[in-house]
Amino acid sequence: MEFSLFKLPIKVKNSFFILIGILSLMWGSGPEGSNIIVSLMWFVTLFTAILTHELGHALFARWYGMKPRVEIHGMGGVTIWQSMKRLDFRQRFMISFAGPGTGLALAGVFFLLLQIPNLPNLLQALLTMHLTVYIFLNLMNLLPIRPLDGAEVL
Protein backbone atom coordinates (compact mmCIF):
# COMPACT_ATOMS: atom_id res chain seq x y z
CA MET A 1 0.00 0.00 0.00
CA GLU A 2 1.33 3.41 -0.92
CA PHE A 3 0.04 6.87 -0.09
CA SER A 4 1.24 10.39 0.57
CA LEU A 5 1.01 12.40 3.79
CA PHE A 6 2.28 15.99 4.07
CA LYS A 7 3.54 15.46 0.51
CA LEU A 8 5.80 12.64 1.76
CA PRO A 9 5.66 9.26 -0.01
CA ILE A 10 4.78 6.44 2.40
CA LYS A 11 4.93 2.76 1.58
CA VAL A 12 3.46 0.12 3.89
CA LYS A 13 4.83 -3.31 3.06
CA ASN A 14 2.83 -6.52 3.32
CA SER A 15 5.08 -7.75 6.12
CA PHE A 16 3.67 -4.98 8.34
CA PHE A 17 0.10 -6.14 7.83
CA ILE A 18 1.07 -9.76 8.46
CA LEU A 19 3.26 -9.36 11.56
CA ILE A 20 1.43 -6.46 13.19
CA GLY A 21 -1.89 -8.07 12.30
CA ILE A 22 -0.86 -11.26 14.11
CA LEU A 23 0.36 -9.30 17.14
CA SER A 24 -2.85 -7.28 17.23
CA LEU A 25 -4.97 -10.43 17.08
CA MET A 26 -2.93 -12.03 19.87
CA TRP A 27 -3.15 -8.93 22.09
CA GLY A 28 -6.89 -8.69 21.38
CA SER A 29 -7.47 -12.17 22.77
CA GLY A 30 -8.35 -12.80 26.37
CA PRO A 31 -9.78 -15.49 28.60
CA GLU A 32 -13.16 -15.03 26.93
CA GLY A 33 -11.80 -15.38 23.39
CA SER A 34 -10.96 -12.90 20.65
CA ASN A 35 -12.19 -9.34 20.72
CA ILE A 36 -11.99 -7.85 17.23
CA ILE A 37 -12.49 -4.29 18.55
CA VAL A 38 -9.50 -4.59 20.89
CA SER A 39 -7.45 -6.16 18.09
CA LEU A 40 -8.30 -3.25 15.78
CA MET A 41 -7.38 -0.78 18.54
CA TRP A 42 -3.97 -2.44 18.89
CA PHE A 43 -3.47 -2.36 15.12
CA VAL A 44 -4.33 1.35 14.91
CA THR A 45 -2.10 2.10 17.90
CA LEU A 46 0.92 0.29 16.46
CA PHE A 47 0.41 1.76 12.98
CA THR A 48 0.07 5.34 14.21
CA ALA A 49 3.01 4.97 16.61
CA ILE A 50 5.34 3.80 13.85
CA LEU A 51 3.98 6.27 11.30
CA THR A 52 4.26 9.34 13.53
CA HIS A 53 7.76 8.31 14.61
CA GLU A 54 8.91 8.06 11.00
CA LEU A 55 7.08 11.26 10.04
CA GLY A 56 9.11 13.06 12.71
CA HIS A 57 12.31 11.96 10.97
CA ALA A 58 10.96 12.68 7.49
CA LEU A 59 9.68 16.18 8.25
CA PHE A 60 12.99 17.21 9.83
CA ALA A 61 14.92 15.68 6.93
CA ARG A 62 12.80 17.70 4.52
CA TRP A 63 13.35 20.82 6.68
CA TYR A 64 17.09 20.36 6.12
CA GLY A 65 16.66 20.08 2.35
CA MET A 66 16.54 16.30 1.92
CA LYS A 67 14.02 14.32 -0.13
CA PRO A 68 12.65 11.76 2.39
CA ARG A 69 10.36 8.79 1.97
CA VAL A 70 8.95 6.47 4.62
CA GLU A 71 8.70 2.68 4.53
CA ILE A 72 6.75 0.79 7.17
CA HIS A 73 7.39 -2.93 7.48
CA GLY A 74 6.86 -5.78 9.90
CA MET A 75 9.77 -4.81 12.13
CA GLY A 76 8.87 -1.12 12.34
CA GLY A 77 9.75 1.55 9.86
CA VAL A 78 12.53 3.47 8.23
CA THR A 79 12.90 6.95 6.80
CA ILE A 80 15.19 7.11 3.80
CA TRP A 81 16.26 10.35 2.23
CA GLN A 82 18.11 11.37 -0.85
CA SER A 83 20.97 13.61 0.17
CA MET A 84 20.76 16.95 -1.50
CA LYS A 85 23.69 18.30 0.53
CA ARG A 86 26.00 17.23 3.32
CA LEU A 87 24.43 17.40 6.77
CA ASP A 88 26.41 18.60 9.77
CA PHE A 89 26.33 16.85 13.17
CA ARG A 90 23.57 19.07 14.59
CA GLN A 91 21.31 18.43 11.59
CA ARG A 92 21.88 14.65 11.73
CA PHE A 93 21.22 14.76 15.49
CA MET A 94 17.96 16.66 15.01
CA ILE A 95 16.72 14.29 12.30
CA SER A 96 17.61 11.26 14.46
CA PHE A 97 15.97 12.69 17.59
CA ALA A 98 12.88 13.93 15.74
CA GLY A 99 11.33 10.45 15.57
CA PRO A 100 11.49 9.65 19.30
CA GLY A 101 10.87 13.31 20.15
CA THR A 102 7.65 13.34 18.14
CA GLY A 103 6.48 10.11 19.75
CA LEU A 104 7.26 11.29 23.28
CA ALA A 105 5.54 14.64 22.66
CA LEU A 106 2.43 12.78 21.47
CA ALA A 107 2.63 10.54 24.55
CA GLY A 108 2.37 13.74 26.58
CA VAL A 109 -0.76 14.71 24.64
CA PHE A 110 -2.29 11.28 25.30
CA PHE A 111 -1.46 11.62 29.01
CA LEU A 112 -3.19 15.01 29.13
CA LEU A 113 -6.24 13.66 27.28
CA LEU A 114 -6.50 10.84 29.82
CA GLN A 115 -6.94 13.48 32.54
CA ILE A 116 -10.33 14.45 31.09
CA PRO A 117 -13.01 13.12 33.45
CA ASN A 118 -15.69 10.67 32.32
CA LEU A 119 -14.08 9.56 29.08
CA PRO A 120 -15.92 6.69 27.39
CA ASN A 121 -14.30 3.36 28.32
CA LEU A 122 -13.32 2.55 24.73
CA LEU A 123 -11.64 5.94 24.23
CA GLN A 124 -9.86 5.66 27.57
CA ALA A 125 -8.58 2.20 26.59
CA LEU A 126 -7.40 3.48 23.18
CA LEU A 127 -5.60 6.47 24.73
CA THR A 128 -3.98 4.21 27.34
CA MET A 129 -2.76 1.86 24.58
CA HIS A 130 -1.34 4.83 22.67
CA LEU A 131 0.35 6.26 25.77
CA THR A 132 1.95 2.92 26.66
CA VAL A 133 3.14 2.08 23.14
CA TYR A 134 4.40 5.59 22.37
CA ILE A 135 6.46 5.75 25.58
CA PHE A 136 7.86 2.22 25.22
CA LEU A 137 8.59 2.43 21.48
CA ASN A 138 10.29 5.81 21.63
CA LEU A 139 12.30 5.32 24.82
CA MET A 140 13.48 1.94 23.56
CA ASN A 141 14.41 3.56 20.26
CA LEU A 142 16.78 5.88 22.13
CA LEU A 143 18.99 2.97 23.22
CA PRO A 144 22.50 3.47 21.78
CA ILE A 145 22.31 0.35 19.60
CA ARG A 146 22.37 0.32 15.80
CA PRO A 147 20.05 0.57 13.92
CA LEU A 148 18.05 2.40 16.62
CA ASP A 149 17.99 6.20 16.69
CA GLY A 150 19.90 6.30 19.97
CA ALA A 151 23.06 5.18 18.17
CA GLU A 152 22.91 8.39 16.14
CA VAL A 153 21.71 10.66 18.97
CA LEU A 154 24.34 9.63 21.56
Side-chain angles (χ1 to χ4, degrees), residues 1-148:
M1 174 173 87
E2 295 185 33
F3 61 97
S4 182
L5 191 60
F6 305 115
K7 297 183 180 177
L8 294 166
I10 298 168
K11 182 176 189 174
V12 184
K13 297 195 171 199
N14 291 337
S15 62
F16 172 81
F17 293 108
I18 294 166
L19 292 174
I20 300 304
I22 291 169
L23 270 180
S24 298
L25 286 171
M26 285 177 14
W27 291 347
S29 296
E32 298 154 10
S34 272
N35 185 330
I36 194 68
I37 300 296
V38 175
S39 293
L40 286 172
M41 289 167 55
W42 276 117
F43 188 88
V44 167
T45 299
L46 293 166
F47 178 71
T48 58
I50 295 167
L51 179 62
T52 55
H53 177 97
E54 296 305 330
L55 282 174
H57 292 306
L59 291 171
F60 265 78
R62 185 167 67 188
W63 176 267
Y64 289 122
M66 304 293 112
K67 287 189 166 185
R69 71 185 200 289
V70 172
E71 289 186 8
I72 297 175
H73 50 77
M75 299 305 288
V78 63
T79 299
I80 304 159
W81 60 83
Q82 181 182 7
S83 284
M84 307 307 288
K85 63 178 183 174
R86 186 175 169 94
L87 297 172
D88 63 29
F89 173 78
R90 182 184 59 80
Q91 293 168 323
R92 287 191 318 272
F93 175 89
M94 291 302 293
I95 293 170
S96 293
F97 187 74
T102 300
L104 292 172
L106 287 169
V109 171
F110 299 136
F111 176 79
L112 291 174
L113 289 171
L114 281 165
Q115 305 314 305
I116 298 172
N118 303 319
L119 285 173
N121 289 341
L122 205 56
L123 179 57
Q124 186 173 8
L126 183 63
L127 288 170
T128 301
M129 287 175 177
H130 274 69
L131 176 63
T132 304
V133 169
Y134 275 62
I135 289 173
F136 176 77
L137 171 78
N138 291 289
L139 287 180
M140 193 172 99
N141 204 272
L142 285 171
L143 291 173
I145 302 167
R146 289 198 182 277
L148 302 178

